[in-house]
Every structure is written in C-alpha cells, then in structure tokens.
Amino acid sequence: MGIFARDESRTTLAASRIGRQATASLAGLLAGQGKTRSDLAAAMGVSPGRVSQIMSGDANLTVRTLAAVAEALDADVQITFCPRAQPTDARARGTDASPHRSSVLPARH
C-alpha cells in the first residue's frame, strides 16, 4: 500500500488538475515572453520532444522538472496549499468556508 492509497482515484484526478494548471501557467509565461517551445527546449538543453511531453501534461512533472523550466525562463515557481472552499450549503450552516483560493503555480511575468 502506497502513501497515497487512501483514495488513489482522487489523487490521480488531483494530480491531473495540478499538471494542467502548471502547463497552462507555463504556456502563458512562454507567450508573455514571446518564446516558443523550441526556445524553451534550447534554453533547457533538451529536445523539443521533451518539452512537448512536459507541455502535454502526460509527463509526471517533478519538482526538478519545474525547477529546470523555471531556471531556463528566469522565472519562479510558486506552490501554494490552501483549504478548499466549502460548498454553499456548508456556509448556510455557519461552517467556516474560506473563499481564499489561489492558483497552484502562478507564473511571474
């Protein structure tokens, strides 16, 4: 039993969501800098195919990979854990439901 075995399907869905957020943020940063995937590959010293894997969200994005991308683009990566907003009915019961939500990996332009 792995450390994430409690609810593997929820963990898998959450990982996919975080990967999509990271790649969307990265795509926005690239566009904001006027750079292409080929530019990123050259800056990272990897093949364009590797950058395609990273950008597809299919690759397991490790912290090391995120750091390599950030260094190649002279950017920072910010990872923020925050409580999920509670459903509306929880607010009606008086449960503290923080509306504070933030992007997991916001790009710095």
Side-chain angles (χ1 to χ4, degrees):
M1 180 182 284
I3 72 169
F4 300 114
R6 188 184 88 185
D7 192 341
E8 197 67 38
S9 62
R10 284 184 62 184
T11 299
T12 299
L13 287 173
S16 294
R17 183 177 60 251
I18 292 167
R20 285 190 307 272
Q21 289 172 340
T23 57
S25 179
L26 174 54
L29 180 60
L30 283 172
Q33 291 184 353
K35 294 183 179 176
T36 66
R37 291 179 179 199
S38 294
D39 295 331
L40 177 58
M44 291 179 68
V46 300
S47 72
R50 176 63 182 132
V51 171
S52 289
Q53 285 177 332
I54 292 168
M55 297 296 295
S56 74
D58 291 339
N60 183 12
L61 295 176
T62 64
V63 172
R64 183 177 282 298
T65 300
L66 295 174
V69 169
E71 288 303 309
L73 296 174
D74 192 30
D76 290 324
V77 175
Q78 296 177 2
I79 299 173
T80 304
F81 288 87
C82 58
R84 290 186 180 135
Q86 298 297 313
T88 305
D89 62 331
R91 290 181 203 168
R93 292 191 307 262
T95 305
D96 179 26
S98 173
H100 169 49
R101 299 211 56 177
S102 66
S103 174
V104 173
L105 299 169
R108 187 177 103 193
H109 299 275

